[in-house]
Amino acid sequence: MSSRVETILPSEAAGGPLLDDNNDDSFVHPALSISETITAAAAAADKAHDASNNFRYVALDLDGTLLNSQHQVSEKTIEYIRKLDANGFGIMVATGRSLSTVYETILALNLPHALPVICSNGALGVLCQPDESKPNKVAVTPLFDVPVPEPVARRTITLAKEIGFMSQYYVGDDIYADPTTEKDHLHVQKYKDLTGANTICVENLLNVLESNKLPTKQLVLFPKEDQDEVMVKFEDAFCDPQLLIDNAKATLVRGSLGWFIEVLHPQVCKGNGLKRMCENHLSIDIESVVAFGDGDNDIEFLQMAGLGIAMGNSRAVVKEIADQVLDLTNDDDGVMQTLESMEHSGQLLLASS
């Protein structure tokens, strides 16, 4: 496998399409040979086109979907995912989380090969697998990266400070933050409790930006009651013509927990991340993917997949656009139970099918 990484810089994004059809970094499922993989992918695409109830891959959101309320994958679900994987059914993760906060799930699943992971709401794509030479470590192969443009990153830092809040800045495995008050430090700890991430606290995030490290994404953190007001302020600020990329505003994602928003490149969303992963790196039709999600950031993701399934605990706006809405929640092993049902009804294309 080539180690070349797609990096979409602001000027490139403004001048051309998001996807690069010439990329040759394809991931081959370990249960199949190269020729079998190509044949299976083609067959899956044909069946997906002729009958939309045949699927080759599942793309799984984490928080509120695969993970339960304790932010863990249940043992029953882990066992079933391993069974599907051993039978040649593709598994991928698609999450709003940053790369380093996905490692715990990768280690829990412990699949015997690299797992495609779309993180930072579609801005970053990698292959992850437990590192056999380093216990409790994950080996990562980069695939694509679509960073926040420099003017937008700079304005996010300054505007957050102007309105009295702090921001976080994501580069690779590193998360930087600029807390100045006791409330800020409590938010840093709150985020660590949620994701397990260790944050590097700095005096001024502009110094990180000026070291030529563009962020994959940024977060602004605040009390829950301020989310609507913060969203409006950032939406207004990003209308500035100097912050537009190809006449498009930076992507703002309302954190489903209510105490943060995310800032991303204008062309970044989980749906585009899924499309990029499928077309450029897995060589499969996006129609052959069934996707599970629950939050606002899953809307395009569910719409663009062959079948978009909303968890029972999803927000109403997500249920409205989903192809299917579950009664089951993330605490009911809803993903596992639904995939089991789909397997029994012949909707999943296994190697033995």
Side-chain angles (χ1 to χ4, degrees):
M1 181 182 294
S2 164
S3 61
R4 182 165 68 88
V5 183
E6 292 180 85
T7 301
I8 306 300
L9 299 177
S11 59
E12 294 172 316
L18 181 61
L19 299 178
D20 174 10
D21 294 331
N22 295 320
N23 193 293
D24 60 358
D25 294 306
S26 296
F27 170 65
V28 179
H29 193 284
L32 304 173
S33 69
I34 294 176
S35 60
E36 287 172 330
T37 298
I38 295 172
T39 301
D46 288 341
K47 287 187 178 182
H49 177 74
D50 294 335
S52 61
N53 62 344
N54 292 278
F55 302 98
R56 179 69 182 81
Y57 258 85
V58 62
L60 298 167
D61 171 53
L62 291 184
D63 295 291
T65 301
L66 182 65
L67 306 184
N68 58 29
S69 295
Q70 288 70 49
H71 310 296
Q72 302 292 323
V73 189
S74 76
E75 288 300 324
K76 290 192 298 184
T77 294
I78 289 173
E79 182 180 350
Y80 183 68
I81 285 176
R82 289 175 181 168
K83 173 191 167 186
L84 283 181
D85 178 79
N87 284 317
F89 188 74
I91 312 294
M92 74 176 99
V93 166
T95 178
R97 288 184 175 219
S98 60
L99 178 57
S100 62
T101 63
V102 179
Y103 294 159
E104 183 178 353
T105 300
I106 301 301
L107 292 170
L109 294 177
N110 196 28
L111 299 182
H113 58 84
L115 181 72
V117 175
I118 302 158
C119 49
S120 295
N121 275 319
L124 186 66
V126 298
L127 299 178
C128 289
Q129 67 184 117
D131 191 332
E132 294 181 357
S133 65
K134 299 176 182 178
N136 298 318
K137 298 293 183 181
V138 174
V140 177
T141 301
L143 297 178
F144 61 84
D145 183 13
V146 189
V148 179
E150 192 276 343
V152 175
R154 183 178 297 276
R155 186 61 183 131
T156 298
I157 294 169
T158 58
L159 180 56
K161 285 300 182 187
E162 288 171 14
I163 60 178
F165 301 123
M166 60 162 284
S167 56
Q168 293 190 157
Y169 191 101
Y170 297 72
V171 181
D173 277 351
D174 294 328
I175 305 173
Y176 299 89
D178 58 350
T180 56
T181 67
E182 182 179 350
K183 287 184 179 180
D184 289 344
H185 285 282
L186 288 174
H187 273 115
V188 170
Q189 185 60 47
K190 190 175 183 180
Y191 188 80
K192 180 178 180 179
D193 293 342
L194 172 67
T195 64
N198 289 315
T199 303
I200 302 169
C201 294
V202 298
E203 185 174 336
N204 191 341
L205 283 176
L206 291 175
N207 293 333
V208 181
L209 174 63
E210 288 162 3
S211 66
N212 295 318
K213 295 180 179 179
L214 287 177
T216 300
K217 71 173 184 177
Q218 292 168 279
L219 256 63
V220 180
L221 299 94
F222 40 74
K224 275 189 176 183
E225 60 269 21
D226 293 316
Q227 188 177 53
D228 289 341
E229 182 180 354
V230 173
M231 281 289 290
V232 169
K233 288 183 180 295
F234 273 83
E235 286 170 352
D236 291 345
F238 288 163
C239 289
D240 184 338
Q242 295 183 356
L243 301 182
L244 301 180
I245 302 297
D246 197 20
N247 293 319
K249 292 195 299 183
T251 299
L252 282 172
V253 178
R254 180 187 294 267
S256 59
L257 297 176
W259 44 273
F260 62 87
I261 62 169
E262 295 191 24
V263 178
L264 300 157
H265 187 286
Q267 293 183 2
V268 164
C269 66
K270 283 173 71 171
N272 282 342
L274 177 63
K275 185 176 182 181
R276 174 181 288 276
M277 182 66 81
C278 289
E279 294 185 355
N280 290 10
H281 303 286
L282 301 181
S283 298
I284 62 171
D285 192 320
I286 197 170
E287 288 291 325
S288 70
V289 177
V290 54
F292 289 78
D294 73 301
D296 290 20
N297 61 331
D298 293 316
I299 289 175
E300 296 90 349
F301 172 63
L302 298 183
Q303 289 175 321
M304 294 172 72
L307 179 67
I309 299 179
M311 304 298 292
N313 50 285
S314 299
R315 278 171 42 86
V317 67
V318 181
K319 293 179 179 180
E320 288 173 3
I321 60 86
D323 299 312
Q324 182 178 334
V325 179
L326 303 181
D327 292 326
L328 301 166
T329 72
N330 60 320
D331 286 326
D332 301 321
D333 291 305
V335 167
M336 181 202 74
Q337 292 199 54
T338 303
L339 287 174
E340 272 189 324
S341 177
M342 293 177 71
E343 179 188 1
H344 294 154
S345 64
Q347 293 177 272
L348 306 185
L349 293 172
L350 307 181
S352 57
S353 299

